[in-house]
Amino acid sequence: MASRRANLEEPAQLIQPLCSSWEDARDLLREWREENLRNSEQVVEVGDFLMQRGLAGKLGDEVWPAYEQIFLAALECGRLELAQVCYKQLRRQFPGSLRVAKLEAMRYEFLQKYDVAEQKYHKILEEDEANSAVHKRLIAIHKAQGKIPEAIKELNKYLERFMSDHEAWLELANLYIAELEYGKAAFCLEELIMANPQCHLYHQRYAEIRYTQGGTENMELARKYFAQAAKLNPTSIRALFGLFLAASHLASQQKGGGTKSSKSENKKYAAWAAKQIQERYEALGQSEDSQLKALTATLDSLELS
Amino acid sequence: MAEIEISVRSYVKLVLHAAKYPHCAVNGVLLADRKRYKDDKIVCVVECVPLFHLALGLAPMLEVALSQIDAYCEQNKLIIAGYYHANEHVKDSSPNAITHKVMERICDNFNDASLYMVDNTKMTPDMEDAVFRVYALQEGKFKERNPDSITLDEQCLSAASGLLNQKVFRNMVDFDNHLDDITQDWLNNHLNEVIEIHSW
């Protein structure tokens, strides 16, 4: 993009470079690997930093997972030449590795040569039938081709076998939500909650699905699970908002003295949640802030007389 | 149907949001000046509030977001006049069930609202063309609006291109980010000045 203001001083660089030393680069890549982030654009920047200065070797043994990470990010960003460099290093270091073979097949996915990619995946499965990552790549190919019903079908089959794969259950839930199949998405979350009863995210997501389905029974479930999420993670604003909304809905639908939970109980839950939320926002110390005003108005308008 | 004008700020924020999460579906709303619509029947889009990049099809956080944005609009004489949506798949720029649901909700409040469907293939650093196609919801179906009735401010494309190249999308905040950390400003006030500088 040609400079449009050659005569004027350029304003200070808006976005700072991510790293200025190989140690920074190594730490960032490690952190992102541990958190399983999908921030390809940033990984490529760090990858470029290391490669262009010939600093990759400084990473010691960590360079191998780093090459894999940069390879995947480079494919995502269309940087085929950077991916090639990483791939060659990995191939040389780990000849005959199935993990590297999988990366080669992913390159064909990037080139949209799905038939070739599928062939290569099946070849890996001939040697290692229980390779779950490769099974998932085959499902990803369906997704890449927009074949969502096939992806859902295959993912269900996969989960019958690899039922402790949390990532896969979440992916299936997301596919169902996109198809508005909320009941099936809820089932996926139920599996996740059973396996991880302490994970507030699953409780919260389950509550959101039930809330979206609507109806009194689902709303009661939503309120319960939002409450549980808030209990497991008292800092979760989503859980508090969800609890507020679900309790308010229930209170507005009920006559006094209901069966499961009464109108007055729900009003109390809603009021409690609203107070928690209000306090969190006020603690930010921006009392005249338009956002705080908007929030107050929201809580007032959603609450009932 | 009213004419639409899109300001640099709203166009740039929409593009930056989509650029920040290239692997996700994203959505958000566009706010228009209430007086301009009342007086001249023109939908003058002056602000964009990015909403989500996670689980777009779920109701509770959408309700929270729309309520807060409604309240903000009340205070600032604006109105939610549009909804933008970018699908996850690069080649999919069709409206879907989720866009229907949200648009129905928005049209309840403002029946001249439009859907801005992002064409992912147009999300390039060169930015030669508007990244979206605009639809109106008529009798439950989406009909594309006449492109001549939509005017982008002449600096929109170059400002968006410049800020994309400078990776300013890294500082973009959407409602999901705000819900994860309420110190983050879903109005992106910190970006307004930067956008202003790039749009004269």
Side-chain angles (χ1 to χ4, degrees):
Chain A
M1 186 83 192
S3 163
R4 284 170 283 113
R5 281 176 282 151
N7 301 328
L8 300 178
E9 260 176 53
E10 279 290 343
Q13 203 170 1
L14 295 169
I15 301 288
Q16 296 308 314
L18 289 168
C19 54
S20 49
S21 69
W22 66 263
E23 290 98 334
D24 281 346
R26 176 202 60 199
D27 292 344
L28 281 173
L29 289 176
R30 187 192 288 163
E31 190 190 313
W32 295 336
R33 275 199 309 277
E34 280 164 14
E35 291 175 19
N36 209 5
L37 289 185
R38 190 171 172 176
N39 55 341
S40 302
E41 180 265 317
Q42 292 176 311
V43 171
V44 162
E45 180 179 313
V46 173
D48 276 337
F49 175 87
L50 286 173
M51 306 303 205
Q52 284 162 12
R53 290 163 183 71
L55 291 171
K58 295 278 197 186
L59 267 53
D61 279 337
E62 249 182 271
V63 78
W64 308 115
Y67 274 135
E68 186 184 35
Q69 185 182 10
I70 299 168
F71 170 86
L72 293 171
L75 281 189
E76 277 235 291
C77 295
R79 291 282 309 276
L80 210 46
E81 87 302 337
L82 177 58
Q84 196 84 334
V85 166
C86 296
Y87 176 74
K88 284 195 167 131
Q89 294 289 342
L90 288 165
R91 243 276 279 268
R92 190 160 52 184
Q93 182 71 7
F94 305 103
S97 154
L98 293 183
R99 189 160 158 179
V100 177
K102 184 193 108 191
L103 297 181
E104 197 210 350
M106 286 180 81
R107 185 174 140 262
Y108 283 100
E109 281 192 64
F110 161 75
L111 295 169
Q112 294 179 52
K113 297 193 172 154
Y114 297 116
D115 291 340
V116 180
E118 269 178 4
Q119 261 173 36
K120 292 194 176 285
Y121 287 134
H122 282 296
K123 199 142 170 277
I124 298 175
L125 289 176
E126 275 169 29
E127 272 193 62
D128 176 14
E129 212 283 318
N131 192 319
S132 58
V134 169
H135 281 291
K136 286 194 277 189
R137 284 323 310 160
L138 287 168
I139 297 170
I141 289 180
H142 286 309
K143 234 190 134 182
Q145 295 176 302
K147 297 179 181 165
I148 304 302
E150 276 92 340
I152 289 179
K153 182 164 147 239
E154 293 301 311
L155 193 42
N156 269 297
K157 271 169 49 185
Y158 170 85
L159 282 164
E160 277 168 30
R161 209 170 146 193
F162 299 94
M163 56 190 74
S164 59
D165 187 337
H166 303 154
E167 178 191 69
W169 280 112
L170 266 179
E171 175 67 26
L172 184 55
N174 284 335
L175 289 175
Y176 279 134
I177 291 170
E179 301 280 297
L180 306 192
E181 297 253 39
Y182 297 116
K184 295 185 181 163
F187 175 78
C188 297
L189 265 299
E190 281 162 4
E191 293 287 326
L192 284 167
I193 291 173
M194 277 201 300
N196 303 267
Q198 300 304 315
C199 178
H200 72 96
L201 288 171
Y202 296 152
H203 289 268
Q204 172 219 304
R205 181 50 55 88
Y206 181 70
E208 287 183 288
I209 295 170
R210 288 298 187 196
Y211 182 101
T212 309
Q213 280 182 290
T216 311
E217 235 180 87
N218 285 321
M219 203 53 77
E220 294 256 357
L221 276 174
R223 196 207 61 224
K224 287 201 173 92
Y225 279 85
F226 276 128
Q228 184 66 2
K231 194 167 152 207
L232 289 168
N233 179 6
T235 65
S236 170
I237 279 280
R238 288 172 201 265
L240 289 172
F241 268 126
L243 176 55
F244 171 75
L245 284 175
S248 300
H249 264 280
L250 285 166
S252 74
Q253 282 162 16
Q254 287 164 331
K255 326 259 193 273
T259 44
K260 280 193 181 155
S261 53
S262 66
K263 183 185 178 90
S264 66
E265 272 173 0
N266 279 309
K267 280 180 93 170
K268 264 197 278 185
Y269 300 141
W272 178 85
K275 182 157 172 285
Q276 301 302 310
I277 297 169
Q278 194 90 16
E279 280 172 10
R280 301 283 158 82
Y281 275 85
E282 276 166 5
L284 296 179
Q286 303 145 4
S287 51
E288 281 317 298
D289 192 47
S290 53
Q291 270 188 47
L292 183 59
K293 284 196 198 137
L295 171 78
T296 312
T298 302
L299 294 173
D300 289 340
S301 74
L302 289 173
E303 205 158 4
L304 329 129
S305 51
Chain B
M1 258 188 289
E3 305 251 315
I4 300 178
E5 288 174 6
I6 314 272
S7 71
V8 179
R9 180 195 285 192
S10 17
Y11 184 79
V12 167
K13 284 182 176 177
L14 188 161
V15 166
L16 291 181
H17 186 215
K20 189 180 177 193
Y21 298 105
H23 56 287
C24 299
V26 299
N27 64 2
V29 291
L30 296 168
L31 313 182
D33 186 284
R34 197 182 288 237
K35 190 165 189 300
R36 201 71 204 285
Y37 184 73
K38 192 156 161 270
D39 295 346
D40 310 324
K41 268 287 175 292
I42 293 185
V43 174
C44 183
V45 175
V46 294
E47 182 66 278
C48 161
V49 179
L51 289 176
F52 306 114
H53 57 276
L54 301 167
L56 273 56
L58 297 178
M61 299 306 129
L62 178 63
E63 283 187 30
V64 170
L66 290 180
S67 297
Q68 290 206 44
I69 297 168
D70 263 330
Y72 175 78
C73 284
E74 261 314 305
Q75 290 154 15
N76 294 275
K77 303 204 191 355
L78 298 171
I79 188 153
I80 299 181
Y83 167 73
Y84 71 85
H85 190 108
N87 284 324
E88 192 179 342
H89 199 288
V90 69
K91 290 188 187 157
D92 180 10
S93 57
S94 311
N96 56 29
I98 295 176
T99 56
H100 254 101
K101 276 179 73 174
V102 183
M103 273 303 285
E104 273 170 11
R105 169 78 192 265
I106 292 181
C107 288
D108 276 344
N109 274 339
F110 181 62
N111 58 18
D112 221 336
S114 299
L115 165 68
Y116 297 74
M117 273 311 292
V118 175
D119 179 346
N120 294 317
T121 61
K122 298 230 171 101
M123 284 284 302
T124 63
D126 306 340
M127 194 79 20
E128 291 178 351
D129 223 344
V131 297
F132 45 64
R133 277 202 276 273
V134 188
Y135 296 81
L137 188 61
Q138 286 172 345
E139 283 152 31
K141 292 205 175 68
F142 284 117
K143 279 192 75 178
E144 190 165 352
R145 300 189 53 148
N146 179 359
D148 292 336
S149 67
I150 300 143
T151 313
L152 260 58
D153 181 297
E154 58 187 17
Q155 298 297 335
C156 282
L157 299 181
S158 61
S161 171
L163 291 171
L164 270 182
N165 282 314
Q166 295 193 56
K167 307 194 184 188
V168 174
F169 48 80
R170 289 187 189 165
N171 290 346
M172 195 69 209
V173 173
D174 68 7
F175 222 86
D176 266 328
N177 301 138
H178 173 78
L179 289 170
D180 288 338
D181 171 6
I182 58 172
T183 64
Q184 301 221 28
D185 174 19
W186 49 263
L187 282 166
N188 288 289
N189 283 306
H190 53 286
L191 290 183
N192 291 339
E193 199 187 310
V194 157
I195 298 173
E196 188 65 35
I197 294 173
H198 276 72
S199 56
W200 58 268

